[in-house]
Structure formats: structure tokens, C-alpha cells
Amino acid sequence: MHTSQPATGGKKSPGTLHVVATPIGNLGDLSARALETLKTVDAICAEDTRHTRQLLSHFGLERPLIALHEHNEDAQAAQLVARLQLGESFALVSDAGTPLVSDPGFRLVRAARAAGLRVSPVPGACAAIAALSIAGMPSDRFVFEGFLPAKASARRERLSRLTGEVRTLIFYESAHRIEESLDDLVAAFGEARRGTIARELTKLFETVLDGTLADLRQRVGADANQRKGEFVLIVEGAGEDADAAVAEGKRLYAKLTEYLKPSQAAKLAAELSGAPRKALYGAEE
Ligand code: SAM
């Protein structure tokens, strides 16, 4: 015998995608609400399932895990949206900190929102914000630049477009490129520009160095320990007097090229004026 069901009978309402921040080092930074959310969702979408399994096991949790990384995100997003529509709820986590911040998740979040689904944040640690909060740099306006390009030419090109930026700049960097990036920051922003290096935040070897970029470069070069771990680089924005420094640098450069090679003249003019060396090349034209 056929029994008809009411039109909405048994149909679950759509689920929620919870975007959950996890610690950037200290596991004590997982919030109570993050823990509760991870406990109650149907599955957890994780950048690296092994890594997330370790986090869960530390908290005595076991949940189904779904790998979601940059190589499968488009394909996974469609399937996950379909499952959300059928009533399942998921958490999205990355290996550390806030998902989507230099981490996967953007495509999934966009697809879920486009489908009219609820996407809800469970905020928590983010290395950029943690670093900004202790750097003592102006923080009313800042720009997050994420990772600089790996290729030297692309990195320098990116930095050359930021030299006049007045807001505080935040970059992520890894141990194997820290020295090269510092070299390029010095060349782009000038030796005298101030910066902060926030290393291994919330971990055993947490270190925060501040000073001029030239000073920071020197300290990192001189101590192998300062080249280990994970880094947030903060660079002070171009100040009111940046234009004056560049004008002075250009004047010096024009004079010095009468006696020195252009590269030497630019180096010396930059040092004396505090202007970025890059801003002085071609100053005589
Ligand atoms: N989603 C993360 C967040 O919210 O900060 C960032 C992920 S990104 C793939 C990893 C980078 O973040 C590292 O290379 C480093 O630049 C920065 N980072 C992460 N944890 C850090 C920590 N404990 N101390 C300093 N920098 C950290």
C-alpha cells in the first residue's frame, strides 16, 4: 500500500557551515565554542586531515574528516554544498589559525553563500592579528599582504608597489625565505623604516624583535635561532616625512652620481636620507 508523505515531511532544514579558527601554536587558544562546534558537526573539512586528527585527539574528540585543500576545493565545494542543503552541518578548519587567511576555504565559503546557506564564524587565533596586537605599530589602518611571491623578481615587483603605502603592512613568511625577504624589504622600504618580526607566537620560542629594517636584517643574519619557525613581518607605513626623505635622497643622489657609480650613489643617498634605495634610481631623469 502506498502511503503519501506530507510535502515537507521528514525533510531537514539546510545545515550550517561553521568556519572555525584553531590555535596558531598554543592549544589552550582553542575556544570553548570552537570545541563545542567541532564536537557537534557531522564532519570537519580540514586542510590536512592528519594534522586535524592530532588536534582532535588532544581534546579527546573523534569526528569524520573531509580533506579540503587547494587542489580539490572546487570539486569538494559542490558536494559539500549539496550535503549542507540536505541538512548536514560542517566545520571548516585549516592547519592553524583562521581558515581562508592565507589558507584554503574561500571557494567553499563562496559556494555555500551563493547557495543561500548559513555560513557562521567561530573566531579565534590569527597570526597576523596576534602580531599586530603586540607590535606597537599604528593599527587603526593596516594592510595584510599575506605571503610575498617566492620568485625574487615577482617579490621585488610586489614590494615596489607598496613603498608609498601609509598603512601598517603585514606579511607572512616562512623560515626558508626569511633572509631573502628581509633583504628585499630593506631595499624596497629603506634601511631606516621600522619593522617588527613576530616569530613563533604563542609557542615555546616566541620572539618579537623590533627596530629599523636594517637592524632587523642584521639580527636575523647574525643568529641562526632567529631564522627558525614561523614569522609575521610588520612594516611601518610610509610616514608624513617619507616624501621629504625621498626628495632629499633624490637631491643627494643627483649630486653623488657626479663622483660615484649610480649604484654606489643610490646606496649612499638612501643611507643618508632614509629614503628607499629603489625610489632613487633614475632620480636624475
Ligand atoms: N590561517 C593562518 C592564520 O590565521 O594566521 C595562517 C596560515 S599561513 C599558511 C601560515 C603562516 O602564518 C606562517 O608561515 C607564518 O607566516 C604565519 N604564522 C602562523 N602561525 C604563526 C605563529 N605561531 N607565529 C608567527 N607566525 C605564524
Side-chain angles (χ1 to χ4, degrees), residues 24-25 94 96-99 101-103 125-128 147 172-174 198-203 230-232:
I24 56 169
S94 58
T98 301
V101 178
S102 291
D103 266 338
C126 173
F147 287 97
Y172 280 166
E173 197 45 274
S174 64
R199 185 176 75 92
E200 294 288 270
L201 292 174
T202 78
K203 303 187 205 175
E230 299 189 281
F231 302 82
V232 181

Side-chain angles (χ1 to χ4, degrees), residues 7-145:
T8 54
K11 195 175 174 201
K12 283 177 88 178
S13 49
T16 298
L17 175 64
H18 304 272
V19 180
V20 180
T22 57
I24 56 169
N26 189 322
L27 295 182
D29 291 338
L30 189 76
S31 74
R33 201 161 78 83
L35 197 52
E36 191 53 34
T37 305
L38 295 176
K39 240 183 232 173
T40 51
V41 288
D42 293 294
I44 299 170
C45 308
E47 183 184 5
D48 176 343
T49 53
R50 279 170 310 174
H51 186 99
T52 299
R53 194 165 285 119
Q54 278 173 11
L55 176 77
L56 295 181
S57 83
H58 176 87
F59 290 98
L61 290 183
E62 214 181 312
R63 305 298 307 141
L65 292 169
I66 300 168
L68 184 99
H69 42 72
E70 57 172 322
H71 304 295
N72 75 351
E73 191 174 343
D74 276 328
Q76 282 287 26
Q79 288 182 29
L80 290 166
V81 164
R83 289 174 63 178
L84 284 159
Q85 282 166 328
L86 290 173
E88 285 187 270
S89 279
F90 301 120
L92 168 67
V93 300
S94 58
D95 286 354
T98 301
L100 280 81
V101 178
S102 291
D103 266 338
F106 157 66
R107 292 187 189 87
L108 172 60
V109 167
R110 185 163 66 176
R113 294 187 58 79
L117 291 159
R118 181 162 177 251
V119 182
S120 181
V122 182
C126 173
I129 299 300
L132 184 68
S133 74
I134 47 92
M137 292 277 182
S139 52
D140 48 342
R141 295 168 71 211
F142 58 89
V143 287
F144 174 63
E145 280 287 324

Side-chain angles (χ1 to χ4, degrees), residues 173-175 177-183 196-199 207-210 212-228 231-233:
E173 197 45 274
S174 64
R177 258 198 300 276
I178 184 71
E179 288 192 280
E180 290 168 58
S181 284
L182 283 171
D183 281 340
T196 301
I197 302 179
R199 185 176 75 92
T207 317
V208 181
L209 304 177
D210 49 27
T212 64
L213 292 178
D215 172 43
L216 293 173
R217 173 66 187 96
Q218 192 276 328
R219 286 155 84 186
V220 169
D223 180 356
N225 286 326
Q226 296 305 326
R227 302 195 287 271
K228 293 180 184 158
F231 302 82
V232 181
L233 304 176

